[in-house]
């Protein structure tokens, strides 16, 4: 006999701090019998689980323990077909570079019920915590969130992005900092253009580097900045109020 | 005798549904003795107020009852200097077209303590609810959030924005739909480019129009779409799963 199919909640947990979860996310987490959790999600989220919840880590970051997307998809579908409520939990937001659209399509094609709960994205939260107002109207018309990592390993069109005059928030760029810097300089952005790196936004070990485009790759390397991190480039970065940033900028100049 | 200054929480309440508040926002709301609330915030948020909280509406939308920014700034500072905890509450996120950066600067210049709590922005939530994955990697490298309304009444650089190939999410554009459509067409985007309008995202009277760039202004006018709404333009809009959208698209073709 077929069971009544369950449901999949596709939940953006926000970056770092579990207090950045929405009320709706907490409700969904509390309804689920099975959790499929990405690497970047704060483990403290477990406080919102029902007793007896099955919590499965399905991180996809580099290294040998990553879980293929197809396997995650099948896992979601299998538990839902067993009549279970599944929480698929991602860091940040599932629809901003989170492959949420692909997972939704996979599930809907199989007639399974899926509902997305948006989460705060690390670029917005990280910038805000560093005192960077991404769209301050004295400086820009808007903000562009872009991934440096594409399926076909191509580079973003830095010339077009720079020409918009929007603040740029770059995801998955830490292994490509030199080419990002070179691409944006070649696109005409000056070496003095303020730039920042926010590593592990809103987590206890968050770090912020405020520098300039011309020094971006060098300073990030000197400071050992690495993924997960977002890169912010634009005039608004000059408004950053992070104290460590001042120290690092000074230090880099004296080095 | 001077009172110990209080604190200002600058809170993004998200769009529409109060369940989209973060846990941190709810905590901050519950600590405040004075609330300064923008027009677009769902009144149901009052359930999170301390008993006796002073709740003051400070909407800034058009018409005769809008409150000047300078007055809001002074109000925040005055209550904080009286030793009160102030919640300044905005729809969506305070740092994405919310003038949050300006309010933070005003308060910090006066030595007052201010902390921002990010909220979900209507462009992301509205698109997600309509089934539009803003950054689906098969279609785009990213997403640009831009305001059609500038201090100097200039137009955004549509040519540069179109050239990025990012999904465009346009805020404050409903009174300028014809010029947005013309600007993006002149920038080379085809009339067939999918486009959507999401009105009052995540509120009970949310409406979604899915159409094409060539029909955008006409269909929005026919359907009576108006502010507050976001406009989404890009290939990813073709993935929209909204049923009403299908009906409207069909209807427009037959009209």
């Amino acid at each position: 006999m077929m069971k009544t199919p369950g449901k999949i909640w596709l939940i953006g947990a926000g970056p770092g701090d579990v207090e950045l979860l929405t009320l709706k996310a907490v409700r969904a987490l509390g309804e689920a019998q099975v959790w499929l959790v990405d690497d970047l999600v704060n483990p403290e989220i477990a406080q919102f689980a029902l007793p007896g919840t099955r919590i499965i880590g399905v991180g996809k970051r580099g290294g040998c323990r990553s879980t293929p997307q197809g396997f995650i998809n099948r896992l979601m579908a299998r538990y839902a077909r067993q009549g279970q409520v599944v929480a698929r939990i991602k860091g940040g937001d599932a629809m901003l570079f989170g492959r949420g659209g692909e997972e939704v399509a996979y599930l809907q094609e199989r007639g399974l019920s899926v509902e997305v709960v948006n989460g705060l994205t690390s670029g917005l939260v990280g910038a805000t915590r560093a005192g960077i107002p991404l769209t301050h109207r004295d400086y820009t018309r808007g903000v562009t969130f872009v991934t440096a990592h594409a399926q076909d390993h191509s580079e973003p069109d830095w010339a077009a992005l720079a020409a918009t005059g929007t603040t740029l928030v770059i995801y998955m760029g830490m292994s490509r900092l030199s080419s990002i810097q070179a691409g944006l300089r070649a696109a005409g952005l000056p070496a003095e253009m303020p730039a920042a790196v926010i590593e592990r936004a809103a987590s206890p070990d968050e770090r912020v580097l405020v520098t300039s485009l011309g020094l971006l790759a060098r300073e990030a390397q000197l400071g050992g900045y690495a993924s997960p991190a977002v890169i912010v480039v634009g005039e608004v970065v000059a408004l950053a109020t992070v104290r460590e940033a001042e120290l690092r900028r000074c230090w880099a100049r004296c080095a």
Side-chain angles (χ1 to χ4, degrees), chain A:
Chain A
M1 199 181 80
M2 286 283 287
K3 290 227 180 183
T4 310
K7 168 177 183 166
I8 299 102
W9 289 97
L10 185 48
I11 300 169
D17 186 357
V18 291
E19 248 201 324
L20 298 180
L21 283 163
T22 64
L23 299 177
K24 188 169 183 176
V26 170
R27 173 167 64 86
L29 291 170
E31 288 177 7
Q33 291 99 39
V34 183
W35 287 15
L36 303 176
V37 189
D38 265 5
D39 263 355
L40 293 178
V41 175
N42 185 336
E44 290 174 22
I45 198 173
Q47 69 190 276
F48 302 109
L50 285 177
T53 300
R54 185 162 181 180
I55 300 181
I56 303 169
V58 290
K60 275 188 308 194
R61 281 195 296 160
C64 51
R65 284 165 51 83
S66 68
T67 313
Q69 183 65 54
F71 181 78
I72 297 171
N73 288 348
R74 289 192 295 276
L75 219 49
M76 288 190 288
R78 184 206 297 165
Y79 286 117
R81 287 195 184 110
Q82 288 172 1
Q84 309 221 46
V85 176
V86 179
R88 168 80 176 110
I89 308 163
K90 292 166 181 270
D93 178 68
M95 306 306 276
L96 280 175
F97 313 119
R99 299 199 197 172
E102 292 168 57
E103 297 187 6
V104 167
Y106 177 92
L107 296 165
Q108 286 180 339
E109 281 160 16
R110 281 150 187 84
L112 296 165
S113 172
V114 54
E115 183 169 347
V116 181
V117 183
N118 289 115
L120 289 167
T121 190
S122 57
L124 174 63
V125 172
T128 299
R129 290 172 54 89
I132 301 168
L134 290 175
T135 66
H136 195 301
R137 61 181 177 153
D138 291 347
Y139 299 84
T140 182
R141 297 290 291 246
V143 58
T144 299
F145 296 85
V146 68
T147 174
H149 175 75
Q151 291 182 91
D152 60 2
H153 303 290
S154 67
E155 287 281 306
D157 185 345
W158 296 121
L161 291 166
T164 64
T166 60
T167 305
L168 303 180
V169 180
I170 304 164
Y171 288 63
M172 287 166 272
M174 294 309 285
S175 63
R176 297 168 179 78
L177 271 176
S178 294
S179 92
I180 291 168
Q181 178 177 327
L184 289 172
R185 292 281 291 118
L189 293 191
E192 299 73 32
M193 177 66 75
V197 174
I198 301 127
E199 186 186 81
R200 299 184 177 275
S203 77
D205 46 355
E206 176 187 85
R207 291 197 303 158
V208 179
L209 167 69
V210 177
T211 178
S212 63
L213 183 58
L215 296 173
L216 176 63
R218 178 175 161 234
E219 284 208 45
Q221 189 188 18
L222 285 173
Y225 285 81
S227 294
V230 292
I231 302 153
V232 186
V233 180
E235 297 289 355
V236 293
V237 177
L239 301 173
T241 53
V242 177
R243 176 193 278 277
E244 190 223 359
E246 303 298 324
L247 296 174
R248 284 205 48 78
R249 192 155 42 184
C250 168
W251 177 76
R253 280 187 188 137
C254 305

